[in-house]
Amino acid sequence: MAVTAVLLWTLPWIVPPVAAIVRGLNSRSLDDVSPDAPPDSPLVSVIIPARNERRNIERCVRSVLATEYPSIEVIVVDDRSDDGTGDIARVIARDDGRLRVVEAPELPSGWFGKQWACATAARLARGELLLFTDADTWHAPDLLPRSVNALRARDADLLSVAGRQEMHSFWERIVQPQLFALLWSRYGGTEHVSHAKRPVDAIASGQFILVRRTAYDAMGGHERVRDRVAEDLAMAQEYVRAGRRIALLFADRQISTHMYASLGELMAGWRKNIYAGGRTAALGGGVGRALYPPLLFAIPLFGLAPVVALLLSAVGLLSSGWLIWSAIVVAFTILAWVAVYAAMRESPLYAPLYPLGLIVLLAIIVGALARGQRVEWKSRSYVSR
């Protein structure tokens, strides 16, 4: 390879990460919003759907109840757990009248369990605002007052926040950044989402979705997205489609989530979302959705190609030109991953292991494409629309 050719061939691997970083700079944080609850603080109904969340439920509920926001009710929906999740929540409820624990009715046909649990609690909720949050989250005391202030300041019907992703194990630190880097690359900074005009450019985090009750009811609540595997993405898209305003902010100091604790959980969790849910975010309408499977499959292969070329060049199976090209691309990619790990407040020492993360990502994608719209999660089987 000539020097010019080598440099030109590096661009497809260098430009996208740089563009993603630049787009990500157009973001806003809850840190910039007042932590003081408004004088006329409306009642917020905090709804926590929980199915077999024994590992997480106590931490989540106690952190919510420790809020500095003065007017809340908390509804935990025990979605037919068989691990004692409901019992743990009921013990906490004995000492705090703001907490109720309800049992989810039998799951109707055509509904996903999370949506049914959320809809069940919403019918019982008294709040002017509804907060849907996952059982594997931890809430800082200032999260809710800042979020209510942000919802009002943005005049939004739906506000979501992107918090810190807790990574406690080796595989979490290898795999989680891969998936969130994909999301950042697709959606850019929070302001791109907050000002989305097309539904396909909208997204929310199901870990924290705050909505006005009037808007929620007018939109048909969770029934509107009852058969979508990525109900958070679908809700944001439906709100934008209806001409309603959404807002997204970073909140890595106010909320954190420990999504998965093992490699098996990681693969199963992302496998259910990355195709069946992600295809609705494909650009280009019907053509884009048709091309989504091969493009999704190509992403990890594209990232692994320079690594393979570097290894082959190092053992003399490719020319010196390929060695130079692959060395440049791999070195730059490691630097890009250093930036990703720094943004996620994790050790940059994991950055050189990005090829291992890409291999796991490839396995997740293969499994997701093989299943198509069929989804299995927490001992239930669904077909996502």
Side-chain angles (χ1 to χ4, degrees), residues 251-271:
D252 64 344
R253 290 181 176 84
Q254 287 82 29
I255 183 171
S256 67
T257 308
H258 188 205
M259 293 176 65
Y260 310 118
S262 68
L263 179 59
E265 285 186 13
L266 279 164
M267 296 186 69
W270 285 111
R271 187 170 57 223

Side-chain angles (χ1 to χ4, degrees), residues 292-346:
Y292 183 69
L295 289 175
L296 187 63
F297 184 72
I299 288 172
L301 295 179
F302 186 79
L304 287 168
V307 180
V308 174
L310 182 61
L311 294 174
L312 294 176
S313 301
V315 297
L317 296 179
L318 291 177
S319 67
S320 59
W322 286 103
L323 178 62
I324 296 170
W325 168 79
S326 58
I328 292 173
V329 173
V330 169
F332 177 84
T333 305
I334 290 173
L335 289 176
W337 280 109
V338 166
V340 170
Y341 278 96
M344 299 187 79
R345 289 158 53 190
E346 293 291 338

Side-chain angles (χ1 to χ4, degrees), residues 200 275 278-296:
V200 74
Y275 172 71
R279 64 190 293 270
T280 64
L283 298 172
V287 174
R289 287 190 294 274
L291 293 175
Y292 183 69
L295 289 175
L296 187 63

